Amino acid sequence: MSTHSTIEDGIDDAATTVGSVWPIHSFVTANPLSGFEDMTFGEAVTQATDLLGGRGYPSRETFRMALDDGRIDPERLESALADRGYDADPETLLERVDAGAESGARTDESDADESDTAAERVDTVLAKWLSAFLDEGHATWSMPNREDGFYAAFRELAPHDGEIPDSGVLASLPDTPVETIEAVLEPYPEGQWVPIFEEQLAALPGWTGLIKQRAADGGAWQSACPITLAGYLAVRLALLDGFGVDVEPSTGPDAPDADPTDEVAEAFLSAWEASYRSAVVDRVSAESRKRAESDPSERPDAQLVFCIDTRSEVIRRHIEAAGEYETHGYAGFFGIPMEYRGYDAEVSVDACPPILDAQHRISEVPTDGEAKDRHNRWSSVREVAGEVVKKLKTNPASAFGFVENAGSGYGLALAARTLIPGRVHGLLDTADAAVPDDHEFCDQIVRHQHTHAGDLPVGLTREERVEYAATAFELMGWTEFGRLVAFVGHASETTNNPYDSSLDCGACAGNPGGPNARVLAEICADPDVRAALRDRGFEIPEDTVFLAGEHNTTTDEIELYGDVPESHADDLEGLRADLAAAREDATAERASSMGGDAAASVDETERRAADWAETRPEWGLAGNAGFVVGPRELTSDLDLDGRAFLHSYDWSTDPDGDALEAILTGPMVVTQWINAQYYFSTVDNAVYGSGSKVTHNPVGNVGVYQGNGGDLMTGLPLQSLMAADDEPYHQPLRLSTVVHAPVERVAEALADHEAVVQLLDNDWLSLTVVDPTQEHRAFEYERDMEWRPAPEPAASDPAAADPEAPAAPEREPAPAAADD
Amino acid sequence: MSGSTPKQTVGALPDTTTDSPFVPVALTWLTWSLFAASLAALFGRVRLGFAPEVPGVVAVDGLTVLMWVVVAFFSGIVHSYSRRYMAGSANETEFFLAVFGFSIAVMALVAADHVALFGALWLAMGLLMAKLIGVVSGWEQARAAAAVARRSFLASSALLGVALAALWWATGATTVSGIAASADALGGPVWLLAAVALVLAAMIQSALVPFHGWLLSSMTAPTPASALMHAGFVNAGGVLLLRFAPVVTVDERLMLAIVAVGAASALLGKLLKSVRADVKSKLACSTSGQMGFMIMQAGLGFFGAAITHLVLHGFYKAYQFLGSGQLVERTSPEKKARRATGGSGVADVAVMLLTGLAGGAAFVLLTGKGTSVDSGLLLVLFVVFTTLHAARSAVRHVSLPASVRYGAIPLVFLPAITVYALVYKGVSGLLTGVPVASAPTELTALHGLVAVAFLAAYVAIEAGVHERSRRLYVALLNAGQPSPGTVLTNANEYDNGGAQ
């Protein structure tokens, strides 16, 4: 049946423009325009503006502030404008940015005609049914017939819904979604079908994105209550038909015209990015030169491996300053694509980047019986208490009595959490300490069990374990091992925050990274694996002990799990003391960036972690703009202010470029996703972000509404990006990647990866290579695998060549001290 | 490892400055001062009989000082919370001014004696709450929601105006206390008009079904404003009934009608809540039910219990709203299938029944409600139900140690009932000077019907029989929808008022 497949293919085609939306409990920072990445950035934002109404470039005010702060180098700006054929004064040109937008796009609603009103009613009815169907256990009485799928359940209930007209296709809905779609589209030529699908899928982009992700991911909820884009579109088109809305697509097959002022905005943006990039590149080149002349360092007391996350940069700097420590950056899932199920966890989670599929199931088994019993006792009491309260609240015969009996207690809690949030943190800590954590009494099942959990094998085979460990050290370019090696994952600690998972590890798909770190440490501790690693050239000394831990990015506390042999007890004790000292320094730096008191910074960050009234518990990855791939020495003398992702890599240990290839196709793509999410959420916080937290209303455990309901909001909330409603914090810049390696090797690594080259060609991110074999000069990737030498640093005075940081005198007491 | 050498900064971000705007700081300070003053007034009232008045205009009685303390507390919490929560919001100053203004209006309302002042403050309170719902003024849906609320509050103010005018016409008194004093003589159509208008005004204010629409469309208000709305604003319906208790208690049939509308809202609110998927509207449906229960308590003649309920519910609901962001959890679809299995043994049943009866007995002994055969028995029934239900839920968990299964509920509930009783006693003590604080009515067939309805609802929900009706599901889903114009279907229309 040909129309059948035409329709299904058409939907698949059209769906590429829909950005996936992950459930909020496992927020994934992804590019909302990922479906447009086969176009240039400029074309993509034009199309997306046309389809979704979102803006693609920062506003005039944002550029104005950046100019005033000296963040955009005037020379670069001039040349960027000149390249695009503008020779007017930048000030004059800046006035043109947004001039079109002010009179256009956003005031469209004023001329709403009858058809628009009817379309709005369709959206309202759909939002009602989607929220009922996609609910993940929030409503106590969920939508009937959900197990039959969205279309069937809707078809069953629609006759009872007085808001749904009894006309058009709705009068008697066909058995299958495709028949319905066919019936509604019958009057339209087939050539218009895909544009119709595109436009209809773009109407409630939040819900559609969630459906797309859910259908593709196929988790437990999808199996229990299946929904497809075809089923959704069928319901949508039937409603449009019933309400008498014309679905004739408003845009023809031709691409929409770009806003001419976008080109000016693009020039400003490029100049701003170039200004930041050149500051980083110049320093990296200089350090590369210096490094070539210096002697190799001595064996460090400990090596700590952190996630490439921008927040690691701050704590790493302070740890290095606290003692003879080496720190490294590696993807925070530690290279292990696992599905993880914690002890007595209700669900298992994919603890790996969304670009990968989980390959192994890692579970936990209790080993310490006494601690396990203590844990179980507490958790079952807590669970039953929760259930009793829930039951009391649900039943009308008991809900009122419950409120009267519990009211006074709520009053006390209300006062305590509002008036003394810092104390509450201490209280919760004490309560937490009474119950042993999973990692204190559980071992992970790391070895292969010859069984499966779902589709996945439980544990890892010996070969896999050796491979994951070797890959880690190859990618980071390790040749030397300290007495202690700690893999440190990260997680955030916040309360009353639906977006908490957006602050967790992005490389673990919005989950804590501690469990992954434990797996790698466990693998490396295995004598069998160590022997195999030795065969592959990694001389791990007998006295090297591997540890795992977790960095709390909200409070900068680093917890190292478990114990070490007697011989290393002093080393560990010293390390723990130094980590505590580093924490004080790191929180002091971060507290002032959040407007807190730097003198009592640990208390301040703990208060933020526990304070239910705090909408900015930490800055997350706000500010991210760069990605440096190379040895830590290139950046260890710099303060990058938590704006750069750092991946350790040593070109000299990677002769065939395999490690580089893995970094450019894995971590670089993930960081670009994260960067694009922050960029678009900032430039249009309503369309690509989720607006202010103060009017958020979580729905169905899957997302957040603004106010009363309607479409799901997507992307990051305003408070994750802005210091105040009118004061930006995140600087919306596309990612600047800087790789320390010979140019040819980078070119070779890229050659086989069309998708990555396409991203670069289409200006979704930039790539600069600092070539240690060519006098440490920098080369910028242009397009089509062409490179051009980067402009040389302007002067000997580094401060002058660093327009990104003119207004931070308190952080830079020795302004012109070249190469300190 | 460069030790303490200052590192060269590349691309430093600007530090965030914390300039605390003057208005929020000053108003927060002022509100807590008002709370302290209210506590002093409460103390003065209890120990020294503090009862200042400006004859004919303002009169301070037990209800006044009680509500001062309660309102100032909620307002103080909301102020302190919002100092951090609203930091950086474009509408911060307006928000604080409206919250403070609202608190003052409520505090003045409970002291107002002149009917014109009372009516004007009632209107002011409504308009300020509508302002808070639409405080994000650049956002179309927020303005629409504010308009929906404003219409409701204007209607309730108009009804109150009608009632006050009728009462003035009938009694000649221009003060609330004057009307109360001469209420015994009321009757006939004028009384009926006044009384029905009063009840309707209270129903709109407390968002009872079917007047819950404005409350379900009010989520455009910043979260702390919602907390204040659910802990303070909706309570005014109960306060109104208590202030005019002598008027509404004139005829038992009216009291029965109040019981009926209250009970209906209590049941329907809970049912509406069961189908809601979003956190805040679920809380709003719950408020509608809780206020129904509170109005029902008033209809049963237990005005003191109604006031106690609205205070305690205020604590609960303010907490739920302020913490609404933590209600997102990762769930699995199989969760519901896992059910506890115990609870059918003879010992189990005996323990459950004993716990329930002990709860009821404690309640009777400590509060004095239900000692005589009157409408108070209905309230005792609810306590028995609550403890019984709790005990049943706990006992079913055979995995728990026996001591916890059987002992936890009595151990938690008996003190909780004691605390409730203390609060109730305290409130009743304060209300002794109020004309009618307690007027238990005789048991009628309707009371029996209400008891049966709740019993039926209890059984139906436990067994899940109501979930068989698709028609009911759709009807409830639709009845709980916010007003269409207040729903954000196109994110483009969202505008928080910032410069970006």
Side-chain angles (χ1 to χ4, degrees), chain A residues 649-677:
Chain A
Y649 170 70
D650 192 336
W651 68 278
S652 58
T653 62
D654 180 35
D656 48 9
D658 288 348
L660 186 61
E661 195 174 329
I663 294 170
L664 295 182
T665 52
M668 186 171 83
V669 173
V670 174
T671 49
Q672 185 263 328
W673 276 29
I674 295 172
N675 171 269
Q677 169 70 262

mmCIF file of all heavy atoms in Angstrom, chain A residues 649-677:
data_model
loop_
_atom_site.group_PDB
_atom_site.id
_atom_site.type_symbol
_atom_site.label_atom_id
_atom_site.label_comp_id
_atom_site.label_asym_id
_atom_site.label_seq_id
_atom_site.Cartn_x
_atom_site.Cartn_y
_atom_site.Cartn_z
ATOM 1 N N TYR A 649 45.034 14.865 26.664
ATOM 2 C CA TYR A 649 45.431 14.160 25.443
ATOM 3 C C TYR A 649 46.893 14.481 25.187
ATOM 4 O O TYR A 649 47.323 15.616 25.396
ATOM 5 C CB TYR A 649 44.576 14.623 24.254
ATOM 6 C CG TYR A 649 45.092 14.121 22.926
ATOM 7 C CD1 TYR A 649 44.989 12.766 22.599
ATOM 8 C CD2 TYR A 649 45.699 14.982 22.010
ATOM 9 C CE1 TYR A 649 45.486 12.290 21.394
ATOM 10 C CE2 TYR A 649 46.200 14.513 20.801
ATOM 11 C CZ TYR A 649 46.093 13.156 20.505
ATOM 12 O OH TYR A 649 46.588 12.695 19.322
ATOM 13 N N ASP A 650 47.656 13.487 24.758
ATOM 14 C CA ASP A 650 49.049 13.756 24.425
ATOM 15 C C ASP A 650 49.335 13.206 23.039
ATOM 16 O O ASP A 650 49.327 11.994 22.825
ATOM 17 C CB ASP A 650 49.962 13.094 25.469
ATOM 18 C CG ASP A 650 51.396 13.594 25.334
ATOM 19 O OD1 ASP A 650 51.762 14.045 24.209
ATOM 20 O OD2 ASP A 650 52.142 13.524 26.320
ATOM 21 N N TRP A 651 49.584 14.098 22.100
ATOM 22 C CA TRP A 651 49.751 13.658 20.708
ATOM 23 C C TRP A 651 50.952 12.738 20.558
ATOM 24 O O TRP A 651 50.986 11.868 19.691
ATOM 25 C CB TRP A 651 49.882 14.861 19.771
ATOM 26 C CG TRP A 651 51.174 15.634 19.981
ATOM 27 C CD1 TRP A 651 51.409 16.564 20.940
ATOM 28 C CD2 TRP A 651 52.368 15.498 19.237
ATOM 29 N NE1 TRP A 651 52.678 17.040 20.853
ATOM 30 C CE2 TRP A 651 53.289 16.406 19.799
ATOM 31 C CE3 TRP A 651 52.762 14.711 18.137
ATOM 32 C CZ2 TRP A 651 54.599 16.550 19.309
ATOM 33 C CZ3 TRP A 651 54.055 14.861 17.641
ATOM 34 C CH2 TRP A 651 54.968 15.773 18.243
ATOM 35 N N SER A 652 51.951 12.923 21.465
ATOM 36 C CA SER A 652 53.174 12.154 21.281
ATOM 37 C C SER A 652 52.978 10.682 21.648
ATOM 38 O O SER A 652 53.779 9.832 21.267
ATOM 39 C CB SER A 652 54.310 12.774 22.092
ATOM 40 O OG SER A 652 53.936 12.808 23.453
ATOM 41 N N THR A 653 51.901 10.374 22.400
ATOM 42 C CA THR A 653 51.659 8.955 22.723
ATOM 43 C C THR A 653 50.591 8.363 21.810
ATOM 44 O O THR A 653 50.096 7.272 22.061
ATOM 45 C CB THR A 653 51.202 8.799 24.187
ATOM 46 O OG1 THR A 653 49.971 9.509 24.352
ATOM 47 C CG2 THR A 653 52.234 9.345 25.151
ATOM 48 N N ASP A 654 50.237 9.099 20.802
ATOM 49 C CA ASP A 654 49.124 8.655 19.947
ATOM 50 C C ASP A 654 49.541 8.727 18.480
ATOM 51 O O ASP A 654 48.993 9.518 17.695
ATOM 52 C CB ASP A 654 47.912 9.579 20.205
ATOM 53 C CG ASP A 654 46.697 9.216 19.381
ATOM 54 O OD1 ASP A 654 46.473 8.013 19.138
ATOM 55 O OD2 ASP A 654 45.976 10.149 18.973
ATOM 56 N N PRO A 655 50.534 7.922 18.104
ATOM 57 C CA PRO A 655 51.116 8.072 16.771
ATOM 58 C C PRO A 655 50.112 7.869 15.636
ATOM 59 O O PRO A 655 50.176 8.569 14.624
ATOM 60 C CB PRO A 655 52.211 7.007 16.735
ATOM 61 C CG PRO A 655 51.903 6.078 17.853
ATOM 62 C CD PRO A 655 51.165 6.872 18.881
ATOM 63 N N ASP A 656 49.172 6.937 15.808
ATOM 64 C CA ASP A 656 48.250 6.715 14.690
ATOM 65 C C ASP A 656 46.957 7.524 14.800
ATOM 66 O O ASP A 656 46.068 7.380 13.956
ATOM 67 C CB ASP A 656 47.959 5.216 14.521
ATOM 68 C CG ASP A 656 47.621 4.582 15.852
ATOM 69 O OD1 ASP A 656 47.462 5.352 16.823
ATOM 70 O OD2 ASP A 656 47.522 3.347 15.918
ATOM 71 N N GLY A 657 46.862 8.362 15.832
ATOM 72 C CA GLY A 657 45.723 9.277 15.906
ATOM 73 C C GLY A 657 44.405 8.633 16.313
ATOM 74 O O GLY A 657 43.360 9.269 16.209
ATOM 75 N N ASP A 658 44.427 7.378 16.783
ATOM 76 C CA ASP A 658 43.168 6.724 17.173
ATOM 77 C C ASP A 658 42.500 7.430 18.346
ATOM 78 O O ASP A 658 41.284 7.621 18.361
ATOM 79 C CB ASP A 658 43.428 5.261 17.578
ATOM 80 C CG ASP A 658 43.741 4.410 16.372
ATOM 81 O OD1 ASP A 658 43.525 4.914 15.240
ATOM 82 O OD2 ASP A 658 44.213 3.273 16.548
ATOM 83 N N ALA A 659 43.327 7.774 19.327
ATOM 84 C CA ALA A 659 42.777 8.447 20.506
ATOM 85 C C ALA A 659 42.149 9.776 20.104
ATOM 86 O O ALA A 659 41.041 10.117 20.527
ATOM 87 C CB ALA A 659 43.864 8.663 21.549
ATOM 88 N N LEU A 660 42.854 10.497 19.243
ATOM 89 C CA LEU A 660 42.346 11.799 18.809
ATOM 90 C C LEU A 660 41.008 11.637 18.086
ATOM 91 O O LEU A 660 40.061 12.391 18.313
ATOM 92 C CB LEU A 660 43.375 12.460 17.881
ATOM 93 C CG LEU A 660 43.033 13.881 17.465
ATOM 94 C CD1 LEU A 660 42.949 14.786 18.682
ATOM 95 C CD2 LEU A 660 44.073 14.409 16.482
ATOM 96 N N GLU A 661 40.958 10.612 17.249
ATOM 97 C CA GLU A 661 39.734 10.350 16.511
ATOM 98 C C GLU A 661 38.576 10.100 17.489
ATOM 99 O O GLU A 661 37.472 10.630 17.319
ATOM 100 C CB GLU A 661 39.960 9.118 15.639
ATOM 101 C CG GLU A 661 38.930 8.938 14.566
ATOM 102 C CD GLU A 661 39.310 7.767 13.645
ATOM 103 O OE1 GLU A 661 40.528 7.519 13.456
ATOM 104 O OE2 GLU A 661 38.399 7.118 13.138
ATOM 105 N N ALA A 662 38.867 9.322 18.521
ATOM 106 C CA ALA A 662 37.821 9.028 19.510
ATOM 107 C C ALA A 662 37.372 10.298 20.228
ATOM 108 O O ALA A 662 36.183 10.485 20.496
ATOM 109 C CB ALA A 662 38.335 8.006 20.527
ATOM 110 N N ILE A 663 38.316 11.183 20.519
ATOM 111 C CA ILE A 663 37.958 12.417 21.232
ATOM 112 C C ILE A 663 37.131 13.342 20.339
ATOM 113 O O ILE A 663 36.141 13.928 20.770
ATOM 114 C CB ILE A 663 39.227 13.138 21.739
ATOM 115 C CG1 ILE A 663 39.921 12.288 22.798
ATOM 116 C CG2 ILE A 663 38.882 14.513 22.299
ATOM 117 C CD1 ILE A 663 41.290 12.783 23.193
ATOM 118 N N LEU A 664 37.539 13.458 19.069
ATOM 119 C CA LEU A 664 36.832 14.389 18.191
ATOM 120 C C LEU A 664 35.433 13.892 17.832
ATOM 121 O O LEU A 664 34.533 14.687 17.561
ATOM 122 C CB LEU A 664 37.637 14.627 16.911
ATOM 123 C CG LEU A 664 38.991 15.321 17.111
ATOM 124 C CD1 LEU A 664 39.681 15.536 15.769
ATOM 125 C CD2 LEU A 664 38.828 16.652 17.832
ATOM 126 N N THR A 665 35.250 12.581 17.806
ATOM 127 C CA THR A 665 33.925 12.073 17.429
ATOM 128 C C THR A 665 33.044 11.830 18.637
ATOM 129 O O THR A 665 31.826 11.742 18.502
ATOM 130 C CB THR A 665 34.043 10.747 16.656
ATOM 131 O OG1 THR A 665 34.853 9.860 17.432
ATOM 132 C CG2 THR A 665 34.691 10.962 15.317
ATOM 133 N N GLY A 666 33.620 11.715 19.833
ATOM 134 C CA GLY A 666 32.822 11.495 21.036
ATOM 135 C C GLY A 666 32.679 12.760 21.849
ATOM 136 O O GLY A 666 31.740 13.534 21.645
ATOM 137 N N PRO A 667 33.615 13.001 22.753
ATOM 138 C CA PRO A 667 33.500 14.157 23.645
ATOM 139 C C PRO A 667 33.257 15.483 22.928
ATOM 140 O O PRO A 667 32.480 16.308 23.404
ATOM 141 C CB PRO A 667 34.846 14.165 24.379
ATOM 142 C CG PRO A 667 35.276 12.746 24.369
ATOM 143 C CD PRO A 667 34.766 12.159 23.091
ATOM 144 N N MET A 668 33.890 15.676 21.769
ATOM 145 C CA MET A 668 33.696 16.977 21.107
ATOM 146 C C MET A 668 32.247 17.152 20.669
ATOM 147 O O MET A 668 31.687 18.248 20.779
ATOM 148 C CB MET A 668 34.627 17.141 19.906
ATOM 149 C CG MET A 668 34.528 18.546 19.316
ATOM 150 S SD MET A 668 35.762 18.897 18.061
ATOM 151 C CE MET A 668 34.997 18.179 16.621
ATOM 152 N N VAL A 669 31.629 16.083 20.202
ATOM 153 C CA VAL A 669 30.236 16.183 19.767
ATOM 154 C C VAL A 669 29.318 16.434 20.971
ATOM 155 O O VAL A 669 28.404 17.261 20.915
ATOM 156 C CB VAL A 669 29.829 14.904 19.002
ATOM 157 C CG1 VAL A 669 28.344 14.924 18.690
ATOM 158 C CG2 VAL A 669 30.654 14.784 17.732
ATOM 159 N N VAL A 670 29.611 15.749 22.071
ATOM 160 C CA VAL A 670 28.786 15.942 23.258
ATOM 161 C C VAL A 670 28.937 17.372 23.793
ATOM 162 O O VAL A 670 27.954 18.020 24.159
ATOM 163 C CB VAL A 670 29.140 14.908 24.350
ATOM 164 C CG1 VAL A 670 28.390 15.185 25.633
ATOM 165 C CG2 VAL A 670 28.820 13.509 23.851
ATOM 166 N N THR A 671 30.157 17.874 23.821
ATOM 167 C CA THR A 671 30.334 19.248 24.313
ATOM 168 C C THR A 671 29.654 20.243 23.387
ATOM 169 O O THR A 671 29.104 21.244 23.836
ATOM 170 C CB THR A 671 31.824 19.629 24.445
ATOM 171 O OG1 THR A 671 32.485 19.280 23.245
ATOM 172 C CG2 THR A 671 32.472 18.935 25.607
ATOM 173 N N GLN A 672 29.641 19.946 22.093
ATOM 174 C CA GLN A 672 28.952 20.849 21.168
ATOM 175 C C GLN A 672 27.446 20.852 21.454
ATOM 176 O O GLN A 672 26.800 21.885 21.395
ATOM 177 C CB GLN A 672 29.238 20.435 19.720
ATOM 178 C CG GLN A 672 28.663 21.388 18.680
ATOM 179 C CD GLN A 672 27.331 20.911 18.132
ATOM 180 O OE1 GLN A 672 27.083 19.723 18.023
ATOM 181 N NE2 GLN A 672 26.468 21.858 17.784
ATOM 182 N N TRP A 673 26.894 19.682 21.788
ATOM 183 C CA TRP A 673 25.465 19.606 22.158
ATOM 184 C C TRP A 673 25.201 20.487 23.357
ATOM 185 O O TRP A 673 24.258 21.267 23.389
ATOM 186 C CB TRP A 673 25.085 18.173 22.534
ATOM 187 C CG TRP A 673 24.753 17.293 21.382
ATOM 188 C CD1 TRP A 673 25.235 17.395 20.116
ATOM 189 C CD2 TRP A 673 23.863 16.172 21.388
ATOM 190 N NE1 TRP A 673 24.714 16.400 19.342
ATOM 191 C CE2 TRP A 673 23.872 15.632 20.099
ATOM 192 C CE3 TRP A 673 23.083 15.567 22.380
ATOM 193 C CZ2 TRP A 673 23.108 14.514 19.746
ATOM 194 C CZ3 TRP A 673 22.333 14.456 22.040
ATOM 195 C CH2 TRP A 673 22.342 13.935 20.738
ATOM 196 N N ILE A 674 26.035 20.310 24.382
ATOM 197 C CA ILE A 674 25.838 21.065 25.620
ATOM 198 C C ILE A 674 25.943 22.557 25.326
ATOM 199 O O ILE A 674 25.110 23.364 25.726
ATOM 200 C CB ILE A 674 26.879 20.645 26.678
ATOM 201 C CG1 ILE A 674 26.651 19.191 27.076
ATOM 202 C CG2 ILE A 674 26.839 21.568 27.885
ATOM 203 C CD1 ILE A 674 27.722 18.605 27.979
ATOM 204 N N ASN A 675 26.984 22.900 24.557
ATOM 205 C CA ASN A 675 27.207 24.303 24.228
ATOM 206 C C ASN A 675 26.015 24.882 23.466
ATOM 207 O O ASN A 675 25.562 25.994 23.743
ATOM 208 C CB ASN A 675 28.498 24.429 23.418
ATOM 209 C CG ASN A 675 28.696 25.806 22.858
ATOM 210 O OD1 ASN A 675 28.272 26.080 21.740
ATOM 211 N ND2 ASN A 675 29.297 26.688 23.623
ATOM 212 N N ALA A 676 25.493 24.123 22.513
ATOM 213 C CA ALA A 676 24.363 24.620 21.717
ATOM 214 C C ALA A 676 23.126 24.781 22.588
ATOM 215 O O ALA A 676 22.352 25.727 22.424
ATOM 216 C CB ALA A 676 24.077 23.664 20.563
ATOM 217 N N GLN A 677 22.925 23.875 23.535
ATOM 218 C CA GLN A 677 21.790 24.001 24.446
ATOM 219 C C GLN A 677 21.890 25.310 25.230
ATOM 220 O O GLN A 677 20.933 26.073 25.325
ATOM 221 C CB GLN A 677 21.780 22.807 25.410
ATOM 222 C CG GLN A 677 20.831 22.916 26.562
ATOM 223 C CD GLN A 677 19.388 22.810 26.126
ATOM 224 O OE1 GLN A 677 18.719 23.832 25.954
ATOM 225 N NE2 GLN A 677 18.906 21.601 25.910
#
